[in-house]
Amino acid sequence: MKIIVNRKWFSPMIKICLFTLFILILLIFMLLGYRFIVQQQIKQKSADIIENGGISELKEINVNGDKQYILVEGKDKEKPFCLFLHGGPGSPFPYGVSARTLYPEITENCVAVYYDQRGSGKSFNKKITNDTLTLSQFTEDANIIVDYIREHYQQEKIFVIGQSFGTVIGTQLVSNYPEKFHAYLGISQLTSTIKGQELGYNWLQSEAIANGDKKTLQILEDIGKGPYLAKDEDQFSDLINQYKGMNYFDETIKKVNIFELIKGAFISPDYSLQDLYKAFISGPQFSLIKSQELKKEIILTNFFDSVKSMDIPVYFIQGKYDKQTNYELAKQYYELLDAPNGKEFITLEHSAHYPNTLDSMLMNDTIKKMLEDN
C-alpha cells in the first residue's frame, strides 16, 4: 500500500522546522556567549578583591563522606566570618556557592561563607540516598563546615545566618553548639509548620470569604484543617502563594522577581552546566519530591518545644505578610524564647516570605548591626 505525501504541505513544514531549530541554536549560542562574558567580569571582580587584601575562593570539603562546597568571600580577611544557610531544601539560592561577587553590601562588612548544602547545587551527587537526608544530618554537615572555617581560617567563633529552610538547620546548630558562635540571625524563621498551617488555614478562609472565592473555600473544605504532610501540603502552599503569603505585592509594592534570586547560578563561574542542572532539576526533585521523609520531618519541626532558649544573641528578620513561615507565629516564638545574651525582632514592612528589595537596606543594616554589636 502506497503512502501519499502532500509535497506542497511537507516542504514548507521542513523549512519552518529548520528555521525554528536555527533560531533555537542561535539563542543558545547567544546565552552561552553572554554567560561567558559575565563570568569573565565576575572573575575580574574576584581577582580585584584578592589583590586589594580580600578573599574570594571556592573550597571542596569532605563532609561526612560527601563532597560539599563553600564559597568564601570578603573584601577584608580580618572581618568576622558569617556562614549563610540557604533555603530549600535542594535549592541553593540566593546565598549559595553561585553568589560570587553578587552581594558587595554583605562582603563589605564580613567574610561571607556561602554553602551549597547536602543535595543542593554543586554539592549534589547521585550517590546521595534518602536515609542521609535528615535534619540531624544537615545539622552535623553544617557543624563540619563550621569547624573547617574555625580551623582553616583561624576563627574562634563565627556568625550564622539562616534563611527559610536554613533557619531549621541554623536554629538547631546554634542550640547544639553555642560555644562556636557569636550570634544567630534567622531570615523568614521557621518555628512550627503545623501551628503555621493552623493560622494559615484561618487566614485563607477569611480571605476567600472576603473575596467570594468559592473555589478556594471548596479546596479548604476538601483538605480539612490539617496537619498537611504530603500532597495536601503542596496544595495548601499553593493557596498561600496565590494569596500573596509568600510573595507580597500591591499597588505600591512590586512583586519580588524570583529570577533575580536565582540568576546568579546562570552567570556563576563556579557553576558548570551540569551544576546548573543539579541546582534547578536534580537537587529540588530529590530533596522536595523523592525525600518525603525529610519533608515530613521539616513539617513536624516544633521549636516551641525543642529549642526554648539560645545562649547567644538572636536576631529574627520576618516579612510582615509572611504566611509560609508565619509572621505572627515567629513573633510568638521570639517573645517566648529565652535569650539571656539579647534578642531583636525586625519586621520587613514590604515583604512576605521572600524579602522585597524595598526592605533590602533594612536587612543589610541589621546584618551590619549584628556584626558591630557582637
Side-chain angles (χ1 to χ4, degrees):
M1 181 179 178
K2 291 184 177 181
I3 299 175
I4 300 173
V5 178
N6 188 335
R7 295 182 180 275
K8 290 183 180 180
W9 173 84
F10 192 63
S11 181
M13 282 303 297
I14 292 177
K15 291 179 180 178
I16 291 171
C17 290
L18 290 174
F19 179 74
T20 302
L21 181 62
F22 171 76
I23 294 298
L24 285 174
I25 292 172
L26 183 62
L27 285 173
I28 289 170
F29 273 101
M30 288 175 65
L31 285 172
L32 290 176
Y34 171 77
R35 171 178 151 89
F36 176 78
I37 291 170
V38 178
Q39 283 178 334
Q40 302 315 302
Q41 294 172 347
I42 291 173
K43 287 179 180 179
Q44 185 57 56
K45 288 180 183 177
S46 181
D48 291 343
I49 290 172
I50 296 170
E51 188 176 341
N52 290 311
I55 184 172
S56 184
E57 60 186 22
L58 179 71
K59 291 287 185 181
E60 178 189 298
I61 305 170
N62 189 311
V63 180
N64 294 313
D66 190 41
K67 287 183 181 178
Q68 296 182 10
Y69 293 84
I70 59 173
L71 175 72
V72 183
E73 185 167 272
K75 294 180 181 178
D76 183 350
K77 288 187 285 189
E78 302 306 313
K79 294 282 188 179
F81 277 62
C82 292
L83 172 62
F84 284 79
L85 299 172
H86 62 70
S91 301
F93 311 111
Y95 303 121
V97 164
S98 63
R100 190 187 290 268
T101 75
L102 293 186
Y103 302 106
E105 66 279 1
I106 291 176
T107 53
E108 185 75 44
N109 297 303
C110 71
V111 177
V113 181
Y114 302 118
Y115 167 39
D116 278 8
Q117 300 164 31
R118 177 175 294 266
S120 299
K122 201 170 183 71
S123 294
F124 178 87
N125 69 74
K126 294 179 180 179
K127 294 180 181 179
I128 293 176
T129 57
N130 278 320
D131 61 339
T132 67
L133 282 188
T134 64
L135 294 183
S136 61
Q137 182 70 71
F138 276 100
T139 303
E140 288 311 306
D141 283 359
N143 187 44
I144 295 290
I145 297 294
V146 168
D147 285 344
Y148 177 88
I149 297 167
R150 294 172 70 220
E151 181 179 353
H152 188 78
Y153 297 102
Q154 298 180 340
Q155 300 292 310
E156 183 181 352
K157 295 182 179 182
I158 68 171
F159 292 85
V160 173
I161 301 174
Q163 182 171 25
S164 191
F165 170 70
T167 67
V168 180
I169 309 306
T171 300
Q172 197 61 63
L173 183 66
V174 299
S175 175
N176 291 352
Y177 310 101
E179 71 280 1
K180 299 180 181 182
F181 306 104
H182 289 296
Y184 167 70
L185 169 60
I187 304 170
S188 301
Q189 175 72 37
L190 186 145
T191 53
S192 168
T193 301
I194 289 179
K195 289 177 183 288
Q197 288 175 351
E198 293 173 6
L199 292 176
Y201 184 96
N202 294 334
W203 172 74
L204 279 171
Q205 192 174 53
S206 177
E207 289 291 305
I209 291 171
N211 286 277
D213 186 353
K214 294 181 180 179
K215 182 179 178 181
T216 294
L217 288 172
Q218 185 60 56
I219 293 172
L220 290 174
E221 185 178 337
D222 290 343
I223 64 175
K225 288 197 171 184
Y228 315 116
L229 299 177
K231 290 183 179 179
D232 286 345
E233 195 278 331
D234 294 333
Q235 200 167 22
F236 182 75
S237 291
D238 287 342
L239 291 178
I240 292 288
N241 188 41
Q242 179 185 319
Y243 271 90
K244 310 177 192 176
M246 293 183 71
N247 193 350
Y248 184 79
F249 63 95
D250 59 24
E251 295 80 8
T252 59
I253 300 172
K254 287 185 179 180
K255 193 174 186 178
V256 174
N257 185 345
I258 302 300
F259 181 72
E260 288 295 317
L261 300 178
I262 64 176
K263 71 175 184 180
F266 290 100
I267 58 177
S268 170
D270 301 295
Y271 264 30
S272 66
L273 294 178
Q274 185 180 19
D275 291 332
L276 285 176
Y277 187 83
K278 293 176 183 178
F280 290 102
I281 307 296
S282 304
Q285 277 188 349
F286 190 73
S287 299
L288 294 173
I289 299 173
K290 293 182 180 179
S291 302
Q292 288 298 307
E293 286 303 309
L294 173 62
K295 188 174 184 178
K296 181 178 179 181
E297 195 176 2
I298 296 168
I299 291 169
L300 293 177
T301 295
N302 182 359
F303 287 136
F304 283 89
D305 292 337
S306 61
V307 181
K308 297 181 179 181
S309 65
M310 291 190 196
D311 295 329
I312 60 173
V314 178
Y315 299 77
F316 286 170
I317 295 179
Q318 208 78 10
K320 179 180 177 180
Y321 302 101
D322 190 349
K323 303 298 180 182
Q324 183 69 10
T325 50
N326 193 280
Y327 173 82
E328 290 81 6
L329 200 60
K331 201 155 192 180
Q332 286 178 31
Y333 177 66
Y334 167 83
E335 289 168 355
L336 292 171
L337 182 69
D338 180 23
N341 292 298
K343 59 182 180 178
E344 190 170 342
F345 190 97
I346 297 91
T347 297
L348 302 182
E349 296 289 344
H350 309 91
S351 304
H353 190 64
Y354 302 128
N356 195 286
T357 53
L358 293 173
D359 292 317
S360 58
M361 185 175 292
L362 178 57
M363 285 184 60
N364 295 331
D365 287 347
T366 300
I367 293 174
K368 185 178 180 180
K369 182 178 184 299
M370 176 184 70
L371 295 169
E372 290 173 347
D373 289 349
N374 302 283

